[in-house]
């Protein structure tokens, strides 16, 4: 079966030319890296969330609300730690803009919802500079 969705990582073209998602997975989320690889492979091949066999639903993914409305978090748990990737799904493209973790008191990420929206806009308007296809 072919991929239903394509995942893109945010590339910081202005600051460091680094793939922000890859850097986070290799460093801050390294314990979860293999689990995210498996989860993204499942999501790429999964039908949309309204199908019975879809993995586009909790506990694997969760649509965000409030200031983060329109974004989706992809969750994995490693030992007793929880990690997430935040992205925006537009048609069959998923734009991953940041990672985060849960410390027992709440979810934490290094960007604001406004920054996340700005990153998505950059990924759409200038794909050569601001996005890279997610490497599995």
């Amino acid at each position: 079966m072919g991929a239903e969705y394509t995942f893109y990582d945010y590339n910081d073209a202005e600051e460091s030319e680094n793939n922000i998602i890859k850097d986070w997975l290799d460093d801050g989320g390294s314990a979860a890296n293999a689990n995210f690889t498996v989860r993204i492979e499942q999501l790429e091949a999964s039908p949309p969330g309204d199908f019975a066999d879809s993995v586009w639903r909790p506990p694997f993914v969760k649509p965000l609300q409030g200031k983060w409305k329109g974004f989706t978090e992809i969750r994995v748990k490693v030992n007793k730690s929880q990690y997430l990737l935040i992205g925006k799904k537009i048609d069959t493209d998923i734009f991953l803009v940041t990672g985060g973790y849960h410390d027992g008191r709440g979810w934490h990420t290094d960007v604001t919802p406004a920054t996340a929206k700005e990153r998505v806009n950059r990924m759409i308007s200038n794909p050569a500079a601001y996005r890279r296809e997610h490497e599995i």
Side-chain angles (χ1 to χ4, degrees):
M1 176 191 325
E4 297 283 329
Y5 298 95
T6 304
F7 284 76
Y8 296 100
D9 297 345
Y10 180 73
N11 187 66
D12 192 347
E14 293 175 9
E15 296 285 325
S16 58
E17 296 253 352
N18 287 340
N19 180 326
I20 300 299
I21 302 303
K22 183 177 183 330
D23 290 350
W24 181 81
L25 287 169
D26 289 345
D27 184 32
S30 61
N33 197 341
N35 290 17
F36 274 118
T37 296
V38 171
R39 181 65 37 81
I40 288 173
E41 285 176 338
Q42 292 170 335
L43 292 168
E44 282 179 330
S46 178
D50 51 345
F51 285 83
D53 58 350
S54 177
V55 292
W56 282 96
R57 58 180 69 176
F60 310 114
V61 298
K62 179 182 173 190
L64 298 175
Q65 302 300 319
K67 294 178 185 177
W68 285 96
K69 187 174 175 104
F71 285 88
T72 299
E73 66 182 32
I74 302 168
R75 293 183 180 183
V76 300
K77 188 172 184 178
V78 179
N79 299 320
K80 295 184 181 197
S81 299
Q82 295 183 62
Y83 300 90
L84 63 91
L85 287 172
I86 295 177
K88 185 163 186 83
K89 189 170 130 194
I90 300 175
D91 298 321
T92 60
D93 294 331
I94 292 76
F95 301 102
L96 299 174
V97 293
T98 192
Y101 64 94
H102 193 283
D103 66 359
R105 292 174 283 175
W107 289 103
H108 302 277
T109 184
D110 64 348
V111 302
T112 65
T115 299
K117 289 174 187 172
E118 185 178 307
R119 286 181 175 183
V120 169
N121 289 337
R122 288 178 178 173
M123 292 170 81
I124 292 169
S125 66
N126 191 349
Y130 290 102
R131 77 179 183 203
R132 300 292 177 264
E133 193 163 340
H134 184 77
E135 296 176 23
I136 297 201

